[in-house]
Amino acid sequence: MSIARFGIILLALYLIGCSSESSHHRDIQDEAYVLSLPTGFSQFDIPEDNPITKKKVELGEKLFKDVRLSRNENISCHSCHLETHAYSDTIARSLGTYGTSGVRNAPSIVNVAYKKKLFMEGGISDLERQIFAPFDHELEFDLMLDVVEQRLKQDPEYVRLFAEVFDTLPSIYGITRAIAAFERTLVMADSPFDRYFYHKDQNALSESAKRGWALFQSSKLNCTACHTLPLFTNHSFENVGLYEYYKDNGLRTATMKESDVGKFPVPTLRNVEVTYPYMHDGSMKTLDEVIEFYTTGGKSHPNQSPLIQPFNLTDGEKEDLKAFLLSLTDDSFVKP
Ligand code: HEC
Ligand code: HEC
């Protein structure tokens, strides 16, 4: 399945290549969207041919939430990337247009603009290209994008919006760019931890969460070796020793190297309270389970990172570590 998806993405790359070469497409003048980056966050790359503008973002959000993008008109991007769950979902393997489950856990796409290697095998480098995947996937939308284009052309409101934003009829070119522009605006970091760490508010964290933060960075736990500030990921791919035998090979699917079996992207821990279940396959339901897993040092696998080692924690320390993880929830949008 993953290999099939990879082939489809290559086709998508070819198609998108064609559209961006045709010079009659141009972005109409629209007001620039002013992104306010949280303290500690650097500017991310924005493709030159897809500036973020106000109307484009509105169109992108409308498309993101539109069920007409799926074959049976029953699911949208938002069905698997729900705002209240930091744009992830709550089931181990997300349900597609036929109500059947896919193969992986939907990741949070908050702050996804900072990711240079998308998907769990890291095979895609930009959001415009990523958008082809759910359409072609029989366990997700399962609908050709040109059918979507036809559907949207029947809707006078979309005709008006695409004319305003892209000066064209609804098109694959515009669909992918508008959704990508919307996704780039999901840059958010307004959690108790941010108020404590970046804005120096000593009262923003409980004493327990402060002790948890100290443990998290300690040489004993060494979580910050991979989950680094500000996104709590260093964007590398690592095998944490979840299994002795992996059903899903992760990075190897893209590289075909045995040394990459079981390597998955280090996930952001921002909003981890609401992005359950955890791990690439959603196999752990609670943060307690994840903490328990790390104390055991995981399963031995030839590719397991040497940074994952067993350690002992008292029950109180486990609670502290969890309190710290819970302080990473952005209460401005997840829990307004
Ligand atoms: C049926 C559920 C489902 C739907 C519908 C869906 N996604 Fe996803 N999405 C997932 C899953 C599962 C993954 C992880 C797949 C993988 O890595 O192979 C994912 C991955 C992604 C990623 C990559 C994130 C990362 O960290 O690498 C982005 C971006 C994304 N989706 C955006 C979208 C957009 C935009 C749409 C609508 C056009 C959409 N998704 C529709 C389930 C879904
Ligand atoms: C070697 C790098 C590395 C280290 C060190 C590390 N992690 Fe992770 N962490 C990962 C990777 C990779 C995953 C995803 C694994 C997967 O999906 O199979 C992950 C997953 C997680 C998750 C689940 C997040 C989600 O959304 O699914 C949590 C929570 C977590 N780690 C917390 C910690 C804590 C706490 C520590 C310290 C005890 C720690 N990690 C140490 C790499 C690391």
Side-chain angles (χ1 to χ4, degrees):
M1 139 28 245
S2 297
I3 294 184
R5 166 178 270 185
F6 207 61
I8 284 158
I9 286 168
L10 291 179
L11 173 69
L13 291 178
Y14 168 75
L15 289 172
I16 204 166
C18 293
S19 3
S20 46
E21 272 157 31
S22 41
S23 56
H24 63 273
H25 290 296
R26 65 186 174 87
D27 287 359
I28 272 197
Q29 290 302 311
D30 181 5
E31 249 181 283
Y33 183 101
V34 183
L35 267 172
S36 55
L37 297 177
T39 314
F41 281 46
S42 56
Q43 180 60 53
F44 52 84
D45 298 337
I46 300 171
E48 260 171 44
D49 67 349
N50 196 19
I52 309 180
T53 59
K54 275 194 178 157
K55 280 185 187 157
K56 194 191 285 174
V57 170
E58 276 166 36
L59 173 60
E61 179 164 15
K62 185 174 160 70
L63 289 163
F64 190 84
K65 294 182 174 163
D66 194 333
V67 294
R68 278 173 291 179
L69 267 52
S70 63
R71 177 177 294 266
N72 295 328
E73 308 201 9
N74 55 350
I75 61 164
S76 67
C77 309
H78 194 240
S79 310
C80 304
H81 300 285
L82 287 156
E83 191 168 353
T84 45
H85 293 276
Y87 294 91
S88 70
D89 66 5
T90 58
I91 50 178
R93 293 174 299 125
S94 318
L95 302 183
T97 190
Y98 304 114
T100 50
S101 52
V103 290
R104 285 172 174 165
N105 185 235
S108 163
I109 57 170
V110 171
N111 302 320
V112 73
Y114 290 93
K115 268 197 133 169
K116 295 201 166 75
K117 291 182 172 176
L118 296 163
F119 286 134
M120 301 205 191
E121 59 270 347
I124 287 287
S125 61
D126 63 70
L127 290 167
E128 283 78 1
R129 283 161 210 207
Q130 184 281 326
I131 289 158
F132 286 92
F135 289 96
D136 285 305
H137 202 308
E138 75 275 18
L139 298 171
E140 294 182 5
F141 289 160
D142 191 28
L143 190 62
M144 298 289 285
L145 261 162
D146 48 3
V147 180
V148 180
E149 190 181 279
Q150 292 311 319
R151 280 185 185 174
L152 301 187
K153 280 180 184 162
Q154 315 295 314
D155 180 335
E157 204 192 332
Y158 273 120
V159 170
R160 180 179 62 79
L161 287 167
F162 274 84
E164 283 178 14
V165 177
F166 296 107
D167 197 19
T168 62
L169 283 169
S171 66
I172 299 176
Y173 176 88
I175 294 169
T176 56
R177 276 167 180 72
I179 296 179
F182 164 67
E183 289 177 295
R184 290 195 180 95
T185 66
L186 303 176
V187 177
M188 292 172 273
D190 188 7
S191 66
F193 177 82
D194 292 291
R195 291 195 283 280
Y196 168 77
F197 186 81
Y198 289 110
H199 303 289
K200 311 289 174 217
D201 174 0
Q202 288 300 318
N203 302 321
L205 289 196
S206 65
E207 290 308 313
S208 169
K210 285 179 196 167
R211 288 193 297 270
W213 168 225
L215 278 170
F216 189 80
Q217 308 170 74
S218 65
S219 53
K220 178 163 111 176
L221 271 66
N222 210 10
C223 311
T224 38
C226 297
H227 297 286
T228 47
L229 286 170
L231 291 171
F232 291 93
T233 167
N234 59 4
H235 293 294
S236 68
F237 288 73
E238 301 286 350
N239 178 320
V240 292
L242 202 54
Y243 301 112
E244 260 167 79
Y245 302 99
Y246 280 81
K247 273 193 226 145
D248 183 339
N249 285 323
L251 184 59
R252 183 194 181 275
T253 314
T255 63
M256 299 315 246
K257 285 196 226 147
E258 280 315 303
S259 56
D260 288 338
V261 169
K263 289 191 182 166
F264 288 90
V266 176
T268 176
L269 299 183
R270 287 189 171 275
N271 306 303
V272 73
E273 177 180 12
V274 294
T275 64
Y276 57 86
Y278 305 111
M279 305 305 187
H280 66 273
D281 53 359
S283 55
M284 293 183 191
K285 289 196 184 65
T286 63
L287 287 173
D288 302 303
E289 268 175 82
V290 177
I291 291 170
E292 212 53 56
F293 161 79
Y294 277 111
T295 62
T296 65
K299 304 240 166 58
S300 81
H301 185 285
N303 300 336
Q304 191 193 21
S305 165
L307 294 167
I308 307 290
Q309 298 292 342
F311 52 81
N312 287 316
L313 288 183
T314 64
D315 288 348
E317 286 172 324
K318 287 179 192 166
E319 283 308 312
D320 292 343
L321 186 57
K322 186 169 148 188
F324 158 69
L325 292 171
L326 297 179
S327 80
L328 299 175
T329 307
D330 193 323
D331 31 28
S332 69
F333 81 102
V334 172
K335 289 196 282 187

